[in-house]
């Protein structure tokens, strides 16, 4: 009996460095799915209505850490050429309350130069609750404080 339990534990893996896909489906876009940051200096540009969030996936990355991967598509070209789109992200529960997130500099979406271009980016978030609980309670995602970083001349 002990041998069977030991084999089951070994085959399941474990440890902090093992990424476990806990929730690849079911996470839905919040309303609104994107919020935009204020543009307050010359190197930023507004990218309002230029991107569409295609997908967001969360994974357990450690006891109090989740990994979030987002994929966006360029729907229309910004008024100025951009180097990248920067944003934050937040996860929300079934009532729309924020579970965890980061307000800016979570994602750096690069390579979005022409309509139809797609970019994926991942970030890691430390959480105040067990990562498994975050995964269980997260129902919606929002990409927040989105802005474009202009290409340098």
């Amino acid at each position: 009996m002990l041998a069977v339990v030991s084999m089951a534990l070994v085959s399941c893996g474990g440890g902090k460095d093992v990424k476990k896909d806990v929730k690849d489906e079911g996470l839905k876009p919040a309303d609104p799915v994107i919020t935009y940051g204020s543009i307050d200096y010359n190197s930023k540009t507004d990218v309002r209505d230029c991107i569409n969030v295609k997908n967001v996936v969360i994974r357990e990355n450690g006891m109090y850490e989740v990994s979030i991967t987002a994929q966006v598509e360029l729907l229309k070209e910004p008024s100025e050429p951009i180097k990248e789109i920067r944003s934050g992200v937040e996860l929300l529960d079934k009532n729309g309350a924020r579970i965890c997130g980061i307000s800016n500099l979570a994602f750096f979406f690069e390579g979005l130069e022409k309509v139809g271009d797609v970019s994926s980016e991942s970030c890691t978030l430390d959480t105040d609750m067990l990562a498994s609980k975050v995964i269980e309670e997260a129902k919606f995602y929002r990409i927040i404080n989105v802005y474009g970083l202009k290409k340098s001349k």
Side-chain angles (χ1 to χ4, degrees), residues 14-15 17 28 30 41-42 59 69 73 82 100 108 136 142:
D17 59 329
K28 301 198 181 325
Y41 59 91
N42 290 336
R59 293 179 176 92
T69 302
E73 177 181 16
I82 57 171
C100 65
F108 294 79
E136 180 183 317
R142 180 175 287 135

Side-chain angles (χ1 to χ4, degrees), residues 14-147:
K16 186 171 178 156
D17 59 329
V18 176
K19 289 187 179 181
K20 179 179 168 190
D21 280 358
V22 177
K23 188 173 186 179
D24 279 342
E25 297 180 22
L27 198 58
K28 301 198 181 325
D31 185 20
V33 67
I34 300 173
T35 64
Y36 296 91
S38 61
I39 309 304
D40 58 0
Y41 59 91
N42 290 336
S43 64
K44 292 182 182 180
T45 189
D46 191 3
V47 291
R48 192 171 312 274
D49 302 322
C50 292
I51 63 168
N52 176 49
V53 181
K54 294 180 65 85
N55 190 27
V56 172
V57 177
I58 59 174
R59 293 179 176 92
E60 190 174 331
N61 209 34
M63 188 174 280
Y64 292 95
E65 188 178 85
V66 293
S67 173
I68 302 173
T69 302
Q71 184 180 57
V72 299
E73 177 181 16
L74 193 64
L75 296 179
K76 76 177 193 183
E77 293 180 21
S79 59
E80 302 176 70
I82 57 171
K83 175 182 175 184
E84 62 198 22
I85 291 176
R86 295 183 178 180
S87 78
V89 62
E90 60 186 6
L91 299 176
L92 311 170
D93 69 13
K94 66 182 180 184
N95 298 316
R98 186 174 194 245
I99 297 172
C100 65
I102 185 168
S103 59
N104 56 24
L105 302 180
F107 297 127
F108 294 79
F109 298 107
E110 299 179 313
L112 297 169
E113 296 182 8
K114 62 185 182 314
V115 172
D117 285 349
V118 174
S119 180
S120 293
E121 181 66 20
S122 295
C123 72
T124 301
L125 293 178
D126 292 325
T127 64
D128 292 336
M129 66 173 74
L130 290 171
S132 58
K133 185 86 168 153
V134 171
I135 302 272
E136 180 183 317
E137 291 192 10
K139 303 298 181 208
F140 301 99
Y141 63 83
R142 180 175 287 135
I143 305 300
I144 60 174
N145 300 329
V146 176
Y147 67 89

